[in-house]
Amino acid sequence: MPTIRVEMFEGRTIEQKREMAEVFTREMARIAKIAPDAIQVLFDEYRRDNWAVGGTLYADKTK
Amino acid sequence: MPTIRVEMFEGRTIEQKREMAEVFTREMARIAKIAPDAIQVLFDEYRRDNWAVGGTLYADKTK
Amino acid sequence: MPTIRVEMFEGRTIEQKREMAEVFTREMARIAKIAPDAIQVLFDEYRRDNWAVGGTLYADKTK
Amino acid sequence: MPTIRVEMFEGRTIEQKREMAEVFTREMARIAKIAPDAIQVLFDEYRRDNWAVGGTLYADKTK
Amino acid sequence: MPTIRVEMFEGRTIEQKREMAEVFTREMARIAKIAPDAIQVLFDEYRRDNWAVGGTLYADKTK
Amino acid sequence: MPTIRVEMFEGRTIEQKREMAEVFTREMARIAKIAPDAIQVLFDEYRRDNWAVGGTLYADKTK
């Protein structure tokens, strides 16, 4: 079962997740020629103290 | 250290996790000929608004 | 950096990967209001003897 | 779709993968009360120069 | 964007995460000759009832 | 067993992996106060046609 995982900050609304799940599934089905029902989407949400870029936590960047 | 990751909905009891950890470790040790102490099991639990199949979030399916 | 991971069988063409990367990035940018340049897409490709559903390897299903 | 991922060294036979897929699926279905057809198993295989414990690559340990 | 993921028990302080993010980024940049700004670090924190070694959950080991 | 996963392009030498495994383990042991023998490091290597940023595969960027 092809799987699309989305890693992002927490805080997106259920409406945004709903639309991403719908669009990513439809587009992957179209491009890779897979039945939409065979595709799953998972969201992995991160807090800003668990993600760093350039050696700095986002929790510190936004101070 | 061979690792078994289990991705599932949140809501399973500690008894179910305990039994899965025990059984998966014992069976992998037997089949792959690895010492049980060298095997780890991790559980990744997902909310129903973070998992979709067929383009629909489980949170919406269960409405 | 928001990341979209796609787990699928090996065998998709570079044209299919190119289009998925482009479309997923554009759509995530639009829905989650993120700059496209801040989004990455990774493809994890699996062989049919490394993926099972219902307890049966795909390598065995396709026999 | 509950997913069991197995991270291990490359080199296991298809017979070992087949048996792990079968047993893990059957046992997870029994313990977590899930239909077996809804469970998938993925194998992620690693080379010995891509895995270290205690700061030493396995490729170096086996010298 | 090279990514370093750290899987560990929950409970580390933000000071520890900050130092790991800083040191891992600096060292990977030095060793792999990558610009530090192109490196990200993510922390995946696990509860003790979601991690087992040798078939026993850590939640049970610490009883 | 705390785990550090490094996702990067393929092509790094075993000397670079060896040094990253050694340094990351030593530094995580020091910062998080964990025995070095309890830490593992895994490298996940990606081809340039399996990684995109900004909607463009690296395989296409380097043309």
Side-chain angles (χ1 to χ4, degrees), chain C:
Chain C
M1 186 166 230
T3 301
I4 301 167
R5 275 159 207 290
V6 182
E7 301 173 349
M8 59 185 188
F9 284 133
E10 57 182 18
R12 260 76 196 209
T13 64
I14 193 166
E15 286 76 18
Q16 289 175 307
K17 293 179 192 174
R18 185 180 288 135
E19 190 176 358
M20 280 191 273
E22 186 193 313
V23 172
F24 290 173
T25 300
R26 186 188 66 218
E27 292 299 311
M28 186 171 185
R30 180 182 64 79
I31 298 166
K33 302 187 193 316
I34 300 166
D37 283 355
I39 296 171
Q40 63 180 344
V41 178
L42 283 95
F43 296 98
D44 288 311
E45 300 181 295
Y46 284 86
R47 295 202 317 265
R48 284 170 184 271
D49 61 337
N50 278 335
W51 202 322
V53 165
T56 306
L57 298 175
Y58 280 101
D60 290 338
K61 285 182 201 274
T62 55
K63 266 180 192 169

Coordinates of all heavy atoms in Angstrom, one line a residue, chain C:
Chain C
M1 N 12.0 22.1 7.8 CA 11.7 21.9 6.4 C 10.7 20.8 6.2 O 11.0 19.6 6.4 CB 13.0 21.5 5.7 CG 12.8 21.5 4.1 SD 14.4 21.4 3.3 CE 14.2 22.7 2.1
P2 N 9.5 21.2 5.9 CA 8.4 20.1 5.8 C 8.9 19.1 4.7 O 9.4 19.4 3.7 CB 7.2 20.9 5.3 CG 7.4 22.3 5.7 CD 8.9 22.5 5.7
T3 N 8.6 17.8 5.1 CA 9.1 16.7 4.2 C 8.0 15.8 3.9 O 7.2 15.4 4.7 CB 10.2 16.0 5.0 OG1 11.3 16.9 5.3 CG2 10.8 14.8 4.1
I4 N 7.9 15.5 2.6 CA 6.9 14.5 2.1 C 7.7 13.3 1.7 O 8.6 13.3 0.8 CB 6.1 15.1 0.9 CG1 5.4 16.3 1.3 CG2 5.2 14.0 0.3 CD1 4.9 17.1 0.1
R5 N 7.4 12.1 2.3 CA 8.1 10.9 2.0 C 7.1 10.0 1.2 O 6.0 9.8 1.7 CB 8.4 10.1 3.2 CG 9.6 10.5 3.9 CD 9.7 10.0 5.3 NE 10.6 10.9 5.9 CZ 11.8 10.9 5.7 NH1 12.4 10.0 5.0 NH2 12.6 11.8 6.2
V6 N 7.5 9.4 0.2 CA 6.7 8.5 -0.6 C 7.3 7.1 -0.6 O 8.4 6.9 -1.1 CB 6.5 9.0 -2.1 CG1 5.6 8.1 -2.9 CG2 6.0 10.5 -2.1
E7 N 6.5 6.2 0.0 CA 7.0 4.8 0.0 C 6.2 4.0 -1.0 O 5.0 4.0 -1.0 CB 6.7 4.2 1.4 CG 7.5 4.9 2.5 CD 7.1 4.5 3.9 OE1 6.1 3.7 4.0 OE2 7.8 4.9 4.8
M8 N 6.9 3.4 -2.0 CA 6.2 2.7 -3.1 C 7.1 1.6 -3.6 O 8.3 1.6 -3.3 CB 5.8 3.7 -4.1 CG 7.0 4.5 -4.7 SD 6.6 5.8 -5.9 CE 8.2 6.3 -6.5
F9 N 6.6 0.8 -4.5 CA 7.5 -0.2 -5.1 C 8.5 0.5 -6.0 O 8.2 1.6 -6.5 CB 6.6 -1.1 -6.0 CG 5.8 -2.1 -5.3 CD1 4.5 -2.4 -5.5 CD2 6.4 -2.9 -4.3 CE1 3.8 -3.3 -4.8 CE2 5.7 -3.8 -3.5 CZ 4.4 -4.0 -3.8
E10 N 9.6 -0.1 -6.2 CA 10.6 0.4 -7.2 C 10.0 0.2 -8.6 O 9.0 -0.6 -8.7 CB 11.9 -0.4 -7.1 CG 11.8 -1.9 -7.2 CD 13.1 -2.6 -7.0 OE1 14.0 -2.1 -6.5 OE2 13.2 -3.8 -7.5
G11 N 10.4 0.9 -9.5 CA 10.0 0.7 -10.9 C 9.3 1.9 -11.5 O 9.0 1.9 -12.7
R12 N 9.0 2.9 -10.7 CA 8.4 4.1 -11.3 C 9.5 4.9 -12.0 O 10.7 4.8 -11.7 CB 7.8 5.1 -10.2 CG 6.4 4.9 -10.0 CD 6.0 3.7 -9.3 NE 4.6 3.3 -9.4 CZ 4.0 2.6 -8.5 NH1 4.6 2.2 -7.4 NH2 2.7 2.2 -8.7
T13 N 9.1 5.5 -13.1 CA 10.1 6.2 -13.9 C 10.5 7.6 -13.3 O 9.8 8.1 -12.4 CB 9.5 6.5 -15.3 OG1 8.4 7.4 -15.1 CG2 9.0 5.3 -16.0
I14 N 11.6 8.1 -13.8 CA 12.0 9.4 -13.3 C 10.9 10.5 -13.6 O 10.7 11.5 -12.9 CB 13.4 9.8 -13.7 CG1 13.9 11.0 -12.9 CG2 13.5 10.1 -15.2 CD1 15.4 11.3 -13.1
E15 N 10.2 10.3 -14.7 CA 9.2 11.3 -15.1 C 8.1 11.3 -14.1 O 7.5 12.3 -13.7 CB 8.6 10.9 -16.5 CG 9.5 11.2 -17.7 CD 10.6 10.2 -17.8 OE1 10.5 9.1 -17.3 OE2 11.6 10.5 -18.5
Q16 N 7.7 10.1 -13.6 CA 6.7 10.0 -12.6 C 7.1 10.6 -11.2 O 6.4 11.3 -10.6 CB 6.2 8.5 -12.3 CG 5.5 8.0 -13.5 CD 5.2 6.5 -13.4 OE1 6.1 5.7 -13.1 NE2 3.9 6.1 -13.5
K17 N 8.4 10.4 -10.9 CA 8.9 11.0 -9.6 C 9.0 12.5 -9.8 O 8.6 13.2 -8.9 CB 10.3 10.4 -9.3 CG 10.3 9.0 -9.0 CD 11.8 8.5 -8.7 CE 11.9 7.0 -8.6 NZ 13.3 6.6 -8.5
R18 N 9.4 12.9 -11.0 CA 9.5 14.4 -11.2 C 8.2 15.0 -11.0 O 8.0 16.1 -10.4 CB 10.0 14.6 -12.6 CG 10.3 16.0 -13.0 CD 10.9 16.1 -14.4 NE 12.2 15.5 -14.5 CZ 12.7 14.7 -15.5 NH1 11.8 14.3 -16.4 NH2 13.9 14.3 -15.5
E19 N 7.1 14.4 -11.6 CA 5.8 15.0 -11.5 C 5.2 15.0 -10.1 O 4.6 15.9 -9.6 CB 4.8 14.3 -12.5 CG 3.5 15.1 -12.6 CD 2.6 14.6 -13.7 OE1 2.9 13.6 -14.4 OE2 1.4 15.1 -13.8
M20 N 5.4 13.8 -9.4 CA 5.0 13.8 -8.0 C 5.7 14.8 -7.2 O 5.0 15.5 -6.4 CB 5.2 12.4 -7.4 CG 4.1 11.4 -7.9 SD 4.2 9.8 -7.0 CE 5.4 8.9 -8.0
A21 N 7.0 15.0 -7.3 CA 7.7 16.0 -6.5 C 7.2 17.4 -6.8 O 7.0 18.2 -5.9 CB 9.2 15.9 -6.9
E22 N 6.9 17.6 -8.1 CA 6.4 19.0 -8.4 C 5.0 19.2 -7.9 O 4.7 20.3 -7.3 CB 6.5 19.1 -10.0 CG 6.1 20.4 -10.6 CD 5.9 20.3 -12.1 OE1 6.7 19.6 -12.8 OE2 4.9 20.8 -12.5
V23 N 4.1 18.3 -8.1 CA 2.7 18.5 -7.7 C 2.6 18.5 -6.2 O 1.9 19.3 -5.6 CB 1.9 17.4 -8.3 CG1 0.4 17.5 -7.8 CG2 1.8 17.5 -9.9
F24 N 3.2 17.5 -5.5 CA 3.1 17.5 -4.0 C 3.6 18.8 -3.4 O 3.0 19.3 -2.5 CB 3.8 16.3 -3.5 CG 3.2 14.9 -3.8 CD1 3.9 13.8 -3.5 CD2 2.0 14.8 -4.4 CE1 3.4 12.5 -3.7 CE2 1.5 13.6 -4.7 CZ 2.2 12.4 -4.4
T25 N 4.7 19.2 -3.9 CA 5.3 20.5 -3.4 C 4.4 21.7 -3.6 O 4.1 22.4 -2.7 CB 6.7 20.7 -4.1 OG1 7.5 19.6 -3.8 CG2 7.3 22.0 -3.5
R26 N 3.9 21.8 -4.8 CA 3.0 22.9 -5.2 C 1.7 22.9 -4.3 O 1.3 23.9 -3.8 CB 2.7 22.8 -6.7 CG 1.9 24.0 -7.2 CD 1.4 23.8 -8.6 NE 0.4 22.7 -8.6 CZ 0.4 21.8 -9.6 NH1 1.2 21.8 -10.6 NH2 -0.5 20.8 -9.5
E27 N 1.2 21.7 -4.2 CA -0.1 21.6 -3.4 C 0.1 21.8 -1.9 O -0.7 22.4 -1.3 CB -0.7 20.2 -3.7 CG -1.2 20.1 -5.2 CD -2.3 21.1 -5.5 OE1 -3.2 21.3 -4.7 OE2 -2.1 21.8 -6.6
M28 N 1.2 21.2 -1.4 CA 1.4 21.4 0.1 C 1.7 22.9 0.3 O 1.2 23.5 1.3 CB 2.6 20.6 0.6 CG 2.8 20.7 2.1 SD 4.0 19.6 2.8 CE 3.7 20.0 4.6
A29 N 2.4 23.6 -0.6 CA 2.7 25.0 -0.4 C 1.4 25.8 -0.4 O 1.2 26.7 0.4 CB 3.6 25.5 -1.6
R30 N 0.5 25.4 -1.3 CA -0.8 26.1 -1.4 C -1.6 25.9 -0.2 O -2.2 26.8 0.4 CB -1.5 25.6 -2.7 CG -2.9 26.3 -2.9 CD -3.5 25.7 -4.1 NE -3.9 24.3 -4.0 CZ -4.9 23.8 -3.4 NH1 -5.8 24.6 -2.7 NH2 -5.2 22.5 -3.3
I31 N -1.8 24.6 0.2 CA -2.7 24.2 1.3 C -2.2 24.7 2.7 O -2.9 25.2 3.5 CB -3.0 22.7 1.3 CG1 -3.6 22.3 0.0 CG2 -3.9 22.3 2.5 CD1 -3.7 20.8 -0.3
A32 N -0.9 24.4 2.9 CA -0.3 24.7 4.2 C 0.3 26.1 4.3 O 0.8 26.4 5.4 CB 0.7 23.6 4.6
K33 N 0.3 26.8 3.2 CA 0.9 28.2 3.2 C 2.4 28.2 3.6 O 2.7 28.8 4.6 CB 0.1 29.1 4.1 CG -1.4 29.2 3.6 CD -2.2 30.2 4.4 CE -3.7 30.1 4.2 NZ -4.1 29.8 2.7
I34 N 3.1 27.4 2.8 CA 4.6 27.3 3.1 C 5.2 27.7 1.7 O 4.7 27.4 0.7 CB 4.9 25.8 3.4 CG1 4.2 25.3 4.7 CG2 6.5 25.6 3.5 CD1 4.3 23.8 4.8
A35 N 6.4 28.3 1.8 CA 7.1 28.6 0.6 C 7.6 27.2 -0.1 O 8.1 26.3 0.6 CB 8.4 29.4 0.9
P36 N 7.3 27.1 -1.4 CA 7.7 25.8 -2.0 C 9.2 25.4 -1.8 O 9.5 24.3 -1.7 CB 7.4 26.1 -3.5 CG 6.5 27.3 -3.6 CD 6.7 28.1 -2.3
D37 N 10.1 26.4 -1.8 CA 11.5 26.1 -1.6 C 11.8 25.5 -0.3 O 12.9 25.0 -0.1 CB 12.3 27.4 -1.8 CG 12.4 27.8 -3.2 OD1 12.0 27.1 -4.1 OD2 13.0 28.9 -3.5
A38 N 10.8 25.6 0.6 CA 11.1 25.0 2.0 C 10.6 23.6 2.1 O 10.6 23.0 3.2 CB 10.4 25.9 3.0
I39 N 10.1 23.0 1.0 CA 9.5 21.7 1.1 C 10.4 20.7 0.3 O 10.9 21.0 -0.7 CB 8.1 21.7 0.4 CG1 7.1 22.6 1.2 CG2 7.5 20.3 0.3 CD1 5.8 22.9 0.5
Q40 N 10.6 19.5 1.0 CA 11.3 18.5 0.3 C 10.5 17.2 0.1 O 9.6 17.0 0.9 CB 12.7 18.2 0.9 CG 12.6 17.7 2.3 CD 14.0 17.4 2.9 OE1 15.0 17.4 2.2 NE2 14.1 17.2 4.2
V41 N 10.8 16.5 -0.9 CA 10.1 15.2 -1.2 C 11.2 14.1 -1.3 O 12.2 14.3 -2.0 CB 9.3 15.3 -2.5 CG1 8.6 14.0 -2.8 CG2 8.3 16.4 -2.4
L42 N 11.0 13.0 -0.6 CA 11.9 11.8 -0.7 C 11.1 10.6 -1.1 O 10.0 10.4 -0.7 CB 12.5 11.5 0.6 CG 13.7 12.5 1.0 CD1 13.2 13.6 1.9 CD2 14.8 11.7 1.8
F43 N 11.7 9.8 -2.0 CA 11.1 8.6 -2.4 C 11.8 7.4 -1.8 O 13.1 7.3 -1.9 CB 11.1 8.4 -4.0 CG 10.3 9.5 -4.6 CD1 10.9 10.7 -5.1 CD2 8.9 9.4 -4.8 CE1 10.2 11.7 -5.8 CE2 8.2 10.4 -5.4 CZ 8.8 11.5 -5.9
D44 N 11.1 6.5 -1.1 CA 11.7 5.3 -0.6 C 11.1 4.1 -1.4 O 9.9 3.9 -1.3 CB 11.3 5.1 0.9 CG 12.0 6.1 1.8 OD1 13.2 6.2 1.7 OD2 11.3 6.7 2.7
E45 N 11.9 3.5 -2.1 CA 11.5 2.4 -3.1 C 11.7 1.0 -2.5 O 12.8 0.8 -1.9 CB 12.2 2.6 -4.4 CG 11.9 3.9 -5.1 CD 12.6 4.1 -6.4 OE1 13.9 4.1 -6.4 OE2 11.9 4.1 -7.4
Y46 N 10.7 0.2 -2.6 CA 10.8 -1.2 -2.0 C 10.7 -2.2 -3.1 O 9.9 -2.1 -4.0 CB 9.6 -1.4 -1.0 CG 9.8 -0.6 0.3 CD1 9.5 0.7 0.4 CD2 10.4 -1.3 1.4 CE1 9.7 1.4 1.6 CE2 10.6 -0.6 2.6 CZ 10.3 0.7 2.7 OH 10.5 1.4 3.9
R47 N 11.4 -3.3 -2.8 CA 11.3 -4.5 -3.7 C 10.1 -5.3 -3.3 O 9.6 -5.2 -2.1 CB 12.6 -5.3 -3.6 CG 13.8 -4.7 -4.2 CD 14.8 -5.7 -4.6 NE 14.9 -6.8 -3.6 CZ 15.8 -6.8 -2.6 NH1 16.7 -5.9 -2.4 NH2 15.8 -7.8 -1.7
R48 N 9.6 -6.1 -4.2 CA 8.4 -6.9 -3.9 C 8.6 -8.0 -2.8 O 7.6 -8.6 -2.3 CB 7.8 -7.5 -5.1 CG 7.1 -6.4 -5.9 CD 6.7 -6.8 -7.3 NE 6.1 -5.7 -8.0 CZ 4.8 -5.4 -8.0 NH1 4.0 -6.1 -7.3 NH2 4.4 -4.3 -8.6
D49 N 9.8 -8.3 -2.6 CA 10.1 -9.3 -1.5 C 10.3 -8.6 -0.2 O 10.6 -9.3 0.8 CB 11.3 -10.2 -1.9 CG 12.6 -9.5 -2.1 OD1 12.5 -8.2 -2.3 OD2 13.6 -10.1 -1.9
N50 N 10.2 -7.3 -0.1 CA 10.3 -6.6 1.1 C 9.0 -5.9 1.6 O 9.0 -5.0 2.4 CB 11.4 -5.5 1.0 CG 12.8 -6.1 1.2 OD1 12.9 -7.1 1.8 ND2 13.8 -5.5 0.6
W51 N 7.9 -6.3 1.0 CA 6.6 -5.7 1.3 C 5.5 -6.8 1.3 O 5.4 -7.5 0.3 CB 6.3 -4.6 0.3 CG 5.3 -3.6 0.7 CD1 4.2 -3.8 1.5 CD2 5.3 -2.2 0.3 NE1 3.5 -2.6 1.7 CE2 4.2 -1.6 1.0 CE3 6.2 -1.4 -0.4 CZ2 3.9 -0.2 0.8 CZ3 5.9 -0.1 -0.6 CH2 4.8 0.5 0.1
A52 N 4.8 -6.9 2.4 CA 3.7 -7.9 2.5 C 2.4 -7.2 2.9 O 2.4 -6.2 3.6 CB 4.0 -8.9 3.5
V53 N 1.3 -7.7 2.4 CA 0.0 -7.3 2.9 C -0.8 -8.5 3.2 O -0.7 -9.5 2.5 CB -0.8 -6.4 1.9 CG1 -2.3 -6.3 2.3 CG2 -0.2 -5.0 1.9
G54 N -1.5 -8.5 4.3 CA -2.3 -9.7 4.7 C -1.4 -10.9 5.0 O -1.9 -12.0 4.9
G55 N -0.1 -10.7 5.3 CA 0.8 -11.8 5.7 C 1.5 -12.4 4.5 O 2.2 -13.3 4.7
T56 N 1.2 -11.9 3.3 CA 1.8 -12.5 2.1 C 2.7 -11.5 1.4 O 2.3 -10.3 1.1 CB 0.7 -12.9 1.1 OG1 -0.2 -13.8 1.8 CG2 1.3 -13.7 -0.1
L57 N 4.0 -11.8 1.1 CA 4.9 -10.9 0.3 C 4.3 -10.7 -1.0 O 3.7 -11.6 -1.7 CB 6.2 -11.6 0.2 CG 7.0 -11.9 1.4 CD1 8.3 -12.6 1.0 CD2 7.4 -10.6 2.2
Y58 N 4.4 -9.4 -1.6 CA 4.0 -9.2 -2.9 C 4.7 -10.0 -3.9 O 4.2 -10.4 -5.0 CB 4.2 -7.7 -3.3 CG 3.1 -6.8 -2.7 CD1 3.3 -6.1 -1.6 CD2 1.8 -6.8 -3.4 CE1 2.2 -5.3 -1.0 CE2 0.8 -6.0 -2.8 CZ 1.0 -5.2 -1.7 OH 0.0 -4.4 -1.2
A59 N 6.0 -10.4 -3.6 CA 6.8 -11.3 -4.5 C 6.0 -12.6 -4.7 O 6.2 -13.2 -5.7 CB 8.2 -11.5 -3.9
D60 N 5.3 -13.0 -3.7 CA 4.6 -14.3 -3.8 C 3.2 -14.1 -4.4 O 2.7 -15.0 -5.1 CB 4.4 -14.9 -2.4 CG 5.7 -15.4 -1.8 OD1 6.7 -15.7 -2.6 OD2 5.9 -15.5 -0.6
K61 N 2.6 -12.9 -4.2 CA 1.3 -12.7 -4.8 C 1.3 -12.6 -6.3 O 0.4 -13.0 -7.0 CB 0.8 -11.3 -4.3 CG 0.3 -11.2 -2.9 CD -0.2 -9.8 -2.6 CE -0.2 -9.5 -1.1 NZ -1.4 -9.9 -0.4
T62 N 2.4 -12.1 -6.8 CA 2.5 -11.9 -8.2 C 2.9 -13.2 -9.0 O 3.1 -13.1 -10.2 CB 3.4 -10.8 -8.6 OG1 4.7 -11.1 -8.0 CG2 2.9 -9.5 -8.0
K63 N 3.2 -14.2 -8.3 CA 3.6 -15.5 -8.9 C 2.4 -15.9 -9.8 O 1.3 -15.9 -9.4 CB 3.9 -16.5 -7.9 CG 5.4 -16.6 -7.6 CD 5.7 -17.7 -6.6 CE 7.1 -17.5 -6.0 NZ 7.3 -18.4 -4.9

